[in-house]
């Protein structure tokens, strides 16, 4: 028997949403007929520019990719008005979170984050032998910035700050975020995980300014959500040159495939598609709110492409009932939110189907 090291032996397995392949095999649907609303992916697909760019660039795919992602970097330098040395690319934010853990979390370091929040924070922290300190969400399911500040000690090393927060969809008011960042000691790294930032409903600050003014802040962005490129696996971090230099020391030398670089660049050039996704997402969220209200269901207004709703019914049962009808959603129990569901926003006809299934489940539950 070969033993894994202690820090890995005791790690919980990361549990992603049920996959289309899994549900297809279990319930006998062809994969193409299933609708997955469990991973906060983009149901409007991606820009047609992406498919064209992939085709136009296929002559490059037998080369190793450009390790510097030069063209994409130039585009982001322009977008965020930063230097190229302030940027790092990752195989999705997942990889960037992992790198941050490797570089900044050591044995006994305290790491603070919201409960519930994105599940990978736990694995990254424990793998690096950090001590997890979870701060429960407020009554309105928002991130408790005061609670986080109160937990900071001499041993605090990293704060994972998911904003908007997954799975609650809440956003920290801009003034509160600015004053929070100001109050955190400079030797504590604040990781702004901003996977859903484009979906924020209403005006927001440019959080890159926080990075520019604070050497202890890193902002993580992804092409998986608004741009609809989840399968390509590409995201980036913006931080001080020192943070980026250290992260680069442990990054795989070739981590971003060329198709992903091309896809991200092409996606950024299609502003119309991007704006439409945001507009459609808002419209569909409003549809959900109206339906939830008329069903008398409690929900959390969302700043993401997903919504949290309370049915009070066992989540495993509800998830299975949805799967039987060809829709994959996520039970709140996985986030410690018993009786809640997290539903990713789909296209109009898909959301109508979700509500129909939900109505059936609720009326069955009433009969019992
Ligand atoms: C808050 C948050 N961070 C990071 C990720 C991972 O994103 P990526 O696809 O860029 O790895 C997700 C994915 O759902 C997420 O919800």
């Amino acid at each position: 028997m070969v033993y894994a090291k202690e820090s890995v032996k005791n790690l919980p397995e990361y549990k992603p949403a049920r996959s289309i392949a899994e549900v297809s095999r279990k319930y006998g649907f062809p994969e193409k007929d299933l609708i997955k609303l469990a991973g906060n992916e983009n149901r409007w697909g991606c820009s047609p520019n992406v498919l064209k760019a992939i085709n136009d660039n296929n002559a490059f795919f037998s080369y190793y990719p450009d390790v510097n992602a030069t063209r994409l970097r130039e585009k982001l330098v322009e977008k965020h008005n930063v230097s190229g040395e302030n940027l790092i690319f990752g195989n999705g934010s997942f990889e960037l979170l992992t790198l941050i853990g490797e570089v900044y979390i050591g044995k006994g370091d305290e790491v603070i984050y919201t409960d519930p929040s994105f599940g990978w924070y736990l694995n990254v922290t424990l793998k690096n032998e950090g001590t997890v300190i979870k701060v429960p969400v407020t009554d309105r399911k928002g991130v408790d910035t005061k609670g986080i500040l109160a937990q900071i000690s001499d041993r605090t090393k990293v704060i994972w700050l998911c904003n908007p927060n997954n799975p609650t969809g809440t956003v920290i008011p801009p003034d509160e975020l600015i004053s929070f960042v100001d109050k955190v000691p400079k030797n504590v790294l604040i990781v702004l995980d901003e996977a859903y930032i484009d979906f924020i409903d209403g005006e927001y600050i440019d959080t890159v300014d926080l990075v520019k003014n604070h050497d202890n802040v890193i902002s993580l962005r992804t092409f998986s959500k608004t741009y609809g490129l989840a399968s390509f696996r590409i995201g980036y971090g913006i931080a001080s040159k020192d943070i980026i230099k250290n992260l680069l020391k442990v990054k795989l030398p070739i981590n971003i495939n060329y198709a992903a670089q091309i896809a991200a660049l092409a996606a950024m050039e299609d502003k119309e598609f991007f704006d439409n996704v945001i507009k459609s997402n808002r419209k569909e969220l409003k549809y959900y709110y109206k339906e939830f209200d008329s069903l008398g269901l409690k929900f959390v207004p969302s700043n993401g492409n997903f919504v949290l709703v309370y049915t009070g019914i066992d989540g495993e049962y509800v998830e299975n009932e949805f799967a039987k009808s060809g829709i994959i959603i996520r039970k709140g129990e996985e986030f410690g939110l018993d009786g809640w569901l997290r539903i990713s926003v789909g296209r109009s006809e898909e959301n109508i189907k979700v509500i129909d299934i939900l109505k059936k489940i609720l009326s069955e539950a009433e009969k019992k």
Side-chain angles (χ1 to χ4, degrees), residues 178-236:
I178 293 169
S179 99
F180 172 82
V181 170
D182 280 339
K183 284 179 191 143
V184 171
K186 300 289 164 255
N187 60 342
V188 174
L189 179 64
I190 304 170
V191 182
L192 292 180
D193 182 351
E194 302 182 310
Y196 304 98
I197 192 156
D198 302 324
F199 292 113
I200 293 178
D201 198 356
E203 287 285 300
Y204 207 68
I205 45 165
D206 182 357
T207 53
V208 177
D209 288 339
L210 292 174
V211 170
K212 289 177 186 164
N213 300 328
H214 298 82
D215 283 347
N216 60 327
V217 177
I218 179 164
S219 156
L220 301 184
R221 308 286 177 102
T222 180
F223 286 95
S224 299
K225 309 295 176 182
T226 5
Y227 291 108
L229 300 180
S231 192
F232 282 92
R233 311 305 305 128
I234 182 160
Y236 60 100

Side-chain angles (χ1 to χ4, degrees), residues 80-305:
H80 295 298
N81 194 17
V82 291
S83 143
E85 291 162 275
N86 295 119
L87 295 172
I88 182 170
F89 293 92
N91 195 269
S93 313
F94 265 112
E95 186 192 14
L96 296 167
L97 292 165
T98 308
L99 290 178
I100 292 167
E102 264 177 63
V103 171
Y104 290 99
I105 303 173
K107 193 170 184 154
D109 285 340
E110 290 179 355
V111 175
I112 311 176
Y113 60 93
T114 300
D115 183 25
S117 196
F118 188 50
W120 191 236
Y121 304 150
L122 176 70
N123 294 60
V124 171
T125 307
L126 294 181
K127 188 202 145 201
N128 294 293
E129 302 181 80
T131 302
V132 171
I133 299 186
K134 291 187 189 175
V135 176
V137 284
T138 62
D139 292 346
R140 305 179 78 178
K141 304 256 179 295
V143 169
D144 180 2
T145 52
K146 280 205 190 86
I148 294 176
L149 287 172
Q151 289 294 339
I152 294 176
S153 79
D154 291 347
R155 280 181 293 166
T156 306
K157 199 66 198 288
V158 167
I159 298 171
W160 305 117
L161 201 68
C162 192
N163 190 45
N165 189 42
N166 175 12
T168 57
T170 53
V171 70
I172 303 169
D175 292 350
E176 187 180 327
L177 179 65
I178 293 169
S179 99
F180 172 82
V181 170
D182 280 339
K183 284 179 191 143
V184 171
K186 300 289 164 255
N187 60 342
V188 174
L189 179 64
I190 304 170
V191 182
L192 292 180
D193 182 351
E194 302 182 310
Y196 304 98
I197 192 156
D198 302 324
F199 292 113
I200 293 178
D201 198 356
E203 287 285 300
Y204 207 68
I205 45 165
D206 182 357
T207 53
V208 177
D209 288 339
L210 292 174
V211 170
K212 289 177 186 164
N213 300 328
H214 298 82
D215 283 347
N216 60 327
V217 177
I218 179 164
S219 156
L220 301 184
R221 308 286 177 102
T222 180
F223 286 95
S224 299
K225 309 295 176 182
T226 5
Y227 291 108
L229 300 180
S231 192
F232 282 92
R233 311 305 305 128
I234 182 160
Y236 60 100
I238 316 167
S240 69
K241 290 180 185 170
D242 181 66
I243 291 178
I244 300 295
K245 204 171 74 194
N246 282 305
L247 294 176
L248 288 175
K249 289 180 194 163
V250 297
K251 184 183 78 62
L252 273 185
I254 309 178
N255 63 332
I256 305 298
N257 69 73
Y258 197 58
Q261 296 180 30
I262 292 293
L265 193 61
M268 281 185 73
E269 268 149 19
D270 192 346
K271 178 93 170 58
E272 194 184 334
F273 175 86
F274 178 88
D275 289 344
N276 264 329
V277 167
I278 293 168
K279 207 170 89 197
S280 309
N281 185 70
R282 282 205 191 128
K283 180 169 155 270
E284 294 306 318
L285 275 173
K286 290 210 174 88
Y287 166 75
Y288 272 120
Y289 301 163
K290 181 172 71 67
E291 294 295 325
F292 293 155
D293 273 336
S294 71
L295 290 167
L297 298 177
K298 193 164 62 173
F299 63 91
V300 185
S302 175
N303 289 276
N305 61 347

